[in-house]
Amino acid sequence: MRGAVIHAPGDVRFETLDDPMILKPTDAIIRTAVTCVCGSDLWPWRGQDAIDGAHPMGHEYVGFVEEVGSEVTAVRPGQFVVGSFATSDNTCANCRNGWQSNCLNREFMSTCQAEYVRIPNAQGTLVATDGVPGEEFRPGLLAVSDVMGTGWYAADAAEVRPGSTAVVVGDGAVGLCAVIAAKEMGAERIIAMSRHASRQDLAREFGATDIVTERGDEGVARIKDLTDGIGADSVLECVGTAEAMRQAVHSARPGGNVGFVGVPHEVAVDGQELFFSHVGLRGGPAPVRRYLPDLIERVLSGRIDPGKVFDLTLPLEQVAEGYKAMDERRAIKALLKP
Amino acid sequence: MRGAVIHAPGDVRFETLDDPMILKPTDAIIRTAVTCVCGSDLWPWRGQDAIDGAHPMGHEYVGFVEEVGSEVTAVRPGQFVVGSFATSDNTCANCRNGWQSNCLNREFMSTCQAEYVRIPNAQGTLVATDGVPGEEFRPGLLAVSDVMGTGWYAADAAEVRPGSTAVVVGDGAVGLCAVIAAKEMGAERIIAMSRHASRQDLAREFGATDIVTERGDEGVARIKDLTDGIGADSVLECVGTAEAMRQAVHSARPGGNVGFVGVPHEVAVDGQELFFSHVGLRGGPAPVRRYLPDLIERVLSGRIDPGKVFDLTLPLEQVAEGYKAMDERRAIKALLKP
């Protein structure tokens, strides 16, 4: 089969690779229906994360089950399945507590920009749809496996409630999906921080009621202006930089909540500042598996369409162009079709 | 009147001071029934917080209303009242959200180790008891005004739930009151981290089911041993040092919660570590006013007796001995009687 391999910053190649095989009785092999490039894939592409030898890329996938290990009974060959970037047995103590992305047997996916993918912990990770969804739903279901699940977690961790005010920091695919989540959870006012016209438009389409283009202290001041000087009930931090985290904590009202889902890069939170803010903070890799049945239903019923974050579609063999387009911000997110 | 004044580290004097007066129509003057020394008073006493000129001390009080300003109608002279170390108008947006310790008109109390005290924001701060409580209840009500209210907030912020496991870091008066709070909120297992026999005894009396004497990584390992390797649902951090915060975050299970109420001194939380832990974090000065009616009722009904944290009673004029005894850990907390 063929798939994407990163060799060095800026150097992703589409190569012939060994077909994946069942290695453990808990594995499944899927044939990729659609996959994509993630904002976090750009960290190594840009040389901001070290690349320790050439390795496959990609952690987002939906597809058809090809083969299952002897212990996998929840899904069967031919079914269309949605998973998560973090696999989980869905039976350990952490999974039972709803933190499947902290499963004691967790394995992070990393080989999904390929024609076939081995899924560890398949029994607890994969959810089959009722029948095979039409092509029009597949981008949305693919989004659910990562960016939509992550945006949902940001809103959940930030405790978005009906009638509340939510701020979304970051206008990447996760931030845009976080707008969808805040809207679904009933936020009355959703302030998207974005300075890119096309992203602002999509944020509005997804439910944003206000757009703030300022950043840093100016951005915080603008949020305060919009919230009677107090700050927002919930802030959804979808970037991962120190500036974005600072902006998020400062934009929340006393006693408000920040959900942070951008993988922190050199972020330290000052204890005394957090203390006197009374702001609650929770982050992490989203426990997508917890949300899967609900989010799949929302997509298949047409209630939400997070697939709109894909504004570029490429054949899988042009995966490198997907990285480039996202790096240069020509695309929000690139969909790849095998 | 007479009251305590700190002049330098280790130098607290009982001096004649001007009688407090109504300065604003929202003030009240109370005659102190009992007051006390707080663990946080020891920061300047030990020279760990700078002392910018001689100034009065103390922020815990219960007493009798002597006089009220023209805008104070909620309490009247002669009533016995309980307040909080942070005053609040109880009408601003933050107060309405339940964060009275972040009131837009907040003033922190700082003159309470004295015979008479001026209470700003009296209307929103003071709660009168039904009749004058007997002497036996006054230490408990005094605790409610600060350490019990703070322990309660630690448990609230750490989201202690019925049947859960809670760890309390710190065996000072706040930590011991946090044990009471965890018990009242229904924690099934309460692990107190303490290495002092008398405090361990009181923790057990208050509801602790386990005592852990180890600290740092060893303490964390011991907590993991006691919680099936996962960690605790809730951790109540009642110290404020970097080591205590680290111990707290590491002792919580994935997706668990840390409530931190020790004023952080040189604490920075690593963003990436917090991210991958999935632990929720909330701290701050306790919104005692939110809890006052409930906690007063629990004390007066005899359901809880946080007054037991006072293991030394002194005449107010011996206030300096109270500081010494607490600094040398001869006393958990010193009650002062005018």
Side-chain angles (χ1 to χ4, degrees), chain A residues 93-94 97 99 101-102 104 108 153 159 230 253-257 260-265 267-272 274-285, chain B residues 93-94 97 99 101-102 104 108 153 159 230 253-257 260-265 267-272 274-285:
Chain A
N94 290 337
N97 284 329
W99 297 94
S101 46
N102 218 315
L104 295 174
F108 283 114
Y153 173 58
E159 301 188 13
I230 301 297
R253 68 161 168 82
N257 289 281
F260 65 108
V261 295
V263 183
H265 281 70
V267 172
V269 180
D270 181 72
Q272 200 159 101
L274 189 66
F275 183 83
F276 286 105
S277 76
H278 284 121
V279 168
L281 199 57
R282 187 192 300 282
Chain B
N94 291 337
N97 284 329
W99 296 94
S101 46
N102 218 314
L104 295 174
F108 283 113
Y153 173 58
E159 301 187 13
I230 301 297
R253 68 162 170 82
N257 290 280
F260 65 108
V261 296
V263 183
H265 282 70
V267 172
V269 181
D270 181 72
Q272 201 159 101
L274 189 66
F275 183 84
F276 286 105
S277 76
H278 285 120
V279 167
L281 199 56
R282 188 193 299 282

Side-chain angles (χ1 to χ4, degrees), chain A residues 214-258:
Chain A
E214 293 86 348
R215 287 188 189 166
D217 288 341
E218 285 180 22
V220 171
R222 193 80 192 90
I223 297 295
K224 292 283 172 76
D225 284 347
L226 291 168
T227 54
D228 297 327
I230 301 297
D233 301 306
S234 297
V235 183
L236 292 59
E237 193 286 303
C238 306
V239 180
T241 61
E243 190 197 338
M245 180 68 105
R246 197 177 152 276
Q247 195 170 299
V249 171
H250 288 203
S251 296
R253 68 161 168 82
N257 289 281
V258 170

Side-chain angles (χ1 to χ4, degrees), chain A residues 80 82 128-134 136-138 140-141 144 293-306:
Chain A
F80 188 93
V82 186
T129 56
D130 219 7
V132 174
E136 71 275 25
F137 292 114
R138 296 182 190 178
L141 294 171
V144 160
D294 175 54
L295 291 179
I296 290 172
E297 196 280 331
R298 285 176 201 258
V299 167
L300 291 178
S301 68
R303 186 174 165 83
I304 62 173
D305 187 3

